[in-house]
Amino acid sequence: MTDAQKWVERFPGLSRLEPTIKQVLLSRSAIIEVPKGVTIFGPGNSPENMLFLLDGTVRVQQVSDTGHEIVLYRIQAGESCVLTTACLLAFENYSAEGISETAIQAAAIPREVFDQLVSQSKSFRDFVFAAFSKRITDLFLMIDEVAFQRLDVRLADKLLSLSDGQDTIITTHQKLSVELGTAREVISRQLQEFQRRGWIEQARGSVSLLDRARLEKLADHNS
Amino acid sequence: MTDAQKWVERFPGLSRLEPTIKQVLLSRSAIIEVPKGVTIFGPGNSPENMLFLLDGTVRVQQVSDTGHEIVLYRIQAGESCVLTTACLLAFENYSAEGISETAIQAAAIPREVFDQLVSQSKSFRDFVFAAFSKRITDLFLMIDEVAFQRLDVRLADKLLSLSDGQDTIITTHQKLSVELGTAREVISRQLQEFQRRGWIEQARGSVSLLDRARLEKLADHNS
DNA sequence: AGTTCTTGGTGACATTGTCACCAACCTGGG
DNA sequence: CCCAGGTTGGTGACAATGTCACCAAGAACT
């Protein structure tokens, strides 16, 4: 068995499953690979399978009927798409879409296998309900931030989380505005202010963090 | 068997369950009544049971650490609290709370019975996952509205949905501001503008809708 | 009548969103 | 090489919304 085929062990919530359940997951799943930038699910494109993300990142975002876009959340390696997939199956006419932000590797399991596992395994049920619960509470937090948090605080926070250890973020003002659900001009002004304070440095298509401590202080202070 | 004890038939998603499953729901549930204005679940108060709301309304809202409040959604008769309850059990430190907006009547089932039903009945699974999915897609819509919709549109929409057929809404500017996650002053100004246009009439503690058609046009136009 | 709380009004100002427009840069084709 | 068109970012004016401080009228209670 290859490394990818032992994928169940890589999921914190799945590694404690009963051995027979793990065996079902492994034997009835297919490892798939998707290149960067592909719309994995979206309007008019609901997948047949539920995905468990082994490597890479999926960005879930939404386009408003006013033309505005906003990033809702990301699915990282070790997480599953069950909730988003389930939502798609339940409501075809929703407006969210999932895009591979990097090349990704995932384990795909058919819906009926998913249903069978939910029925047979208490551990698997707990895993699924925990995923749903985490998603809903995260959405509560996001509503709170969008409604009440100042934009400079949200931008500092987003820069830090996008940097992921690196000091330079490859992105554009436009993409940052979609992250926060605001307008490009607003991002440009805020970044100018951060640059004026010496916290960041800008180049075309990238932002470099010069003073993480100050950014963290701003991001944490009122959060 | 009293009327309240046949409650399963009143749930669109439950009435199609297998008879044996219905029997478990009926026999293992307790009918409870809660007066208006009680915090049913909230920080430091996660209930032991999952509730199926037979009569009344539960308002779910959130208090930000900045002191701001916003109404997230309502649970109406015929809906269940499973998702919110599940969230509470999973994450004790969340900030949302559920308050009885009217006197309510509900069927309470213990967690282990819920788990047993999810395991045994495909129909019940479908009901539960549909409830989760509906909630998540509704939250997506709410994020879109909070982030991108103009306040006059949101207020017109909220007035219409709160009116519920009546022409006079008993509420205060303060309560309306919590509904939309904004400030009281903003509500006061918008209501003044609506009044100036002759769409509504205000009194202390109430708002009367004079021109539903215009309000609907504003609410629908960009939604 | 007097006190206190609730409800709503107001003006000044800060923050954020929108619009129109421009300049610099990049890319691909002739 | 030069040019055309797309991308990226900057700017100013203005509109919409949020914040703050304060006030006034009504309601509730003694």
Side-chain angles (χ1 to χ4, degrees):
Chain A
M1 186 174 277
T2 71
D3 187 55
Q5 285 170 326
K6 291 183 234 161
W7 60 269
V8 169
E9 304 301 334
R10 285 197 249 162
F11 279 71
L14 296 182
S15 57
R16 282 170 304 196
L17 290 185
E18 302 87 335
T20 57
I21 301 295
K22 282 187 192 176
Q23 195 49 47
V24 174
L25 266 178
L26 290 174
S27 64
R28 307 273 324 256
S29 66
I31 306 293
I32 64 170
E33 308 209 346
V34 180
K36 175 179 174 177
V38 173
T39 300
I40 298 171
F41 50 84
N45 177 15
S46 45
E48 285 301 300
N49 300 311
M50 309 239 170
L51 299 182
F52 290 82
L53 206 57
L54 304 180
D55 197 41
T57 306
V58 175
R59 187 178 70 244
V60 179
Q61 63 188 24
Q62 187 173 217
V63 183
S64 165
D65 43 15
T66 61
H68 293 111
E69 284 180 88
I70 186 168
V71 173
L72 295 166
Y73 54 86
R74 288 182 166 76
I75 304 162
Q76 307 288 343
E79 297 176 352
S80 73
C81 298
V82 283
L83 26 79
T84 318
T85 308
C87 292
L88 296 205
L89 298 171
F91 304 95
E92 295 284 340
N93 57 343
Y94 80 134
S95 58
E97 57 182 357
I99 300 169
S100 55
E101 199 160 42
T102 64
I104 62 174
Q105 190 181 47
I109 68 171
R111 292 177 60 186
E112 59 269 22
V113 175
F114 176 82
D115 193 66
Q116 174 195 340
L117 290 169
V118 169
S119 170
Q120 292 180 354
S121 165
K122 169 113 174 75
S123 313
F124 193 77
R125 278 196 292 279
D126 289 346
F127 172 82
V128 170
F129 284 126
F132 267 103
S133 300
K134 180 74 164 65
R135 185 59 62 215
I136 287 180
T137 52
D138 281 355
L139 289 174
F140 284 0
L141 280 181
M142 177 164 181
I143 288 171
D144 197 275
E145 283 192 8
V146 170
F148 302 127
Q149 198 71 276
R150 287 181 52 101
L151 205 78
D152 51 358
V153 174
R154 296 175 59 209
L155 179 56
D157 187 63
K158 184 57 73 177
L159 289 175
L160 289 167
S161 73
L162 287 178
S163 74
D164 196 31
Q166 306 297 315
D167 276 347
T168 297
I169 307 167
I170 304 300
T171 189
T172 65
H173 294 190
Q174 176 62 47
K175 285 178 184 169
L176 286 171
S177 74
V178 173
E179 291 286 340
L180 300 181
T182 181
R184 178 194 55 83
E185 298 93 317
V186 178
I187 297 291
S188 298
R189 282 181 218 144
Q190 284 295 341
L191 288 179
Q192 272 176 43
E193 175 61 18
F194 287 172
Q195 189 173 36
R196 193 190 64 74
R197 296 182 197 170
W199 297 358
I200 65 165
E201 208 166 43
Q202 295 187 69
R204 187 184 177 87
S206 73
V207 177
S208 297
L209 308 189
L210 299 182
D211 193 340
R212 277 185 131 72
R214 303 278 189 148
L215 288 170
E216 280 165 4
K217 187 178 172 192
L218 176 60
D220 288 348
H221 197 263
N222 302 354
S223 78
Chain B
M1 185 174 279
T2 71
D3 186 55
Q5 284 170 325
K6 292 183 233 161
W7 59 269
V8 168
E9 303 302 333
R10 283 197 250 162
F11 280 71
L14 297 183
S15 59
R16 281 169 305 195
L17 290 185
E18 302 88 335
T20 57
I21 300 296
K22 282 186 192 177
Q23 196 48 48
V24 173
L25 266 178
L26 289 175
S27 64
R28 307 277 318 262
S29 65
I31 306 293
I32 64 171
E33 308 210 344
V34 180
K36 175 179 175 177
V38 173
T39 299
I40 299 171
F41 50 84
N45 177 15
S46 46
E48 285 301 299
N49 299 311
M50 309 240 169
L51 298 182
F52 289 82
L53 206 56
L54 303 181
D55 196 42
T57 306
V58 175
R59 187 177 73 245
V60 179
Q61 62 189 23
Q62 188 173 218
V63 183
S64 163
D65 43 14
T66 62
H68 293 111
E69 285 180 88
I70 186 168
V71 173
L72 296 167
Y73 54 86
R74 287 181 166 76
I75 303 162
Q76 307 287 346
E79 296 175 353
S80 73
C81 296
V82 284
L83 26 78
T84 317
T85 309
C87 292
L88 294 207
L89 297 172
F91 305 94
E92 295 285 340
N93 56 342
Y94 80 131
S95 59
E97 57 182 358
I99 300 170
S100 56
E101 199 160 44
T102 64
I104 63 175
Q105 189 180 48
I109 69 171
R111 292 178 60 186
E112 60 269 21
V113 175
F114 175 82
D115 192 67
Q116 175 196 340
L117 288 169
V118 170
S119 171
Q120 292 180 354
S121 166
K122 168 115 173 76
S123 313
F124 193 78
R125 277 196 293 280
D126 290 345
F127 173 81
V128 170
F129 284 126
F132 267 103
S133 300
K134 179 75 165 64
R135 186 57 64 214
I136 287 180
T137 52
D138 281 354
L139 288 174
F140 284 0
L141 280 182
M142 179 164 181
I143 288 171
D144 197 275
E145 281 191 8
V146 171
F148 302 127
Q149 197 70 277
R150 288 179 51 101
L151 204 78
D152 51 358
V153 175
R154 295 175 61 211
L155 179 56
D157 187 63
K158 184 57 70 176
L159 288 175
L160 289 167
S161 73
L162 286 178
S163 75
D164 195 31
Q166 306 297 313
D167 276 346
T168 297
I169 306 167
I170 304 299
T171 188
T172 65
H173 295 190
Q174 176 63 45
K175 286 179 183 169
L176 286 171
S177 73
V178 172
E179 291 286 340
L180 301 180
T182 181
R184 178 195 52 85
E185 297 92 317
V186 178
I187 296 291
S188 298
R189 283 182 215 141
Q190 284 295 342
L191 288 179
Q192 272 176 41
E193 175 62 19
F194 287 172
Q195 188 173 36
R196 194 191 62 75
R197 297 182 196 168
W199 297 359
I200 65 166
E201 207 167 42
Q202 296 187 71
R204 188 185 176 87
S206 73
V207 177
S208 296
L209 308 189
L210 299 181
D211 193 340
R212 276 184 133 68
R214 303 278 188 145
L215 288 169
E216 279 164 6
K217 187 178 172 192
L218 176 60
D220 289 348
H221 198 264
N222 301 353
S223 78

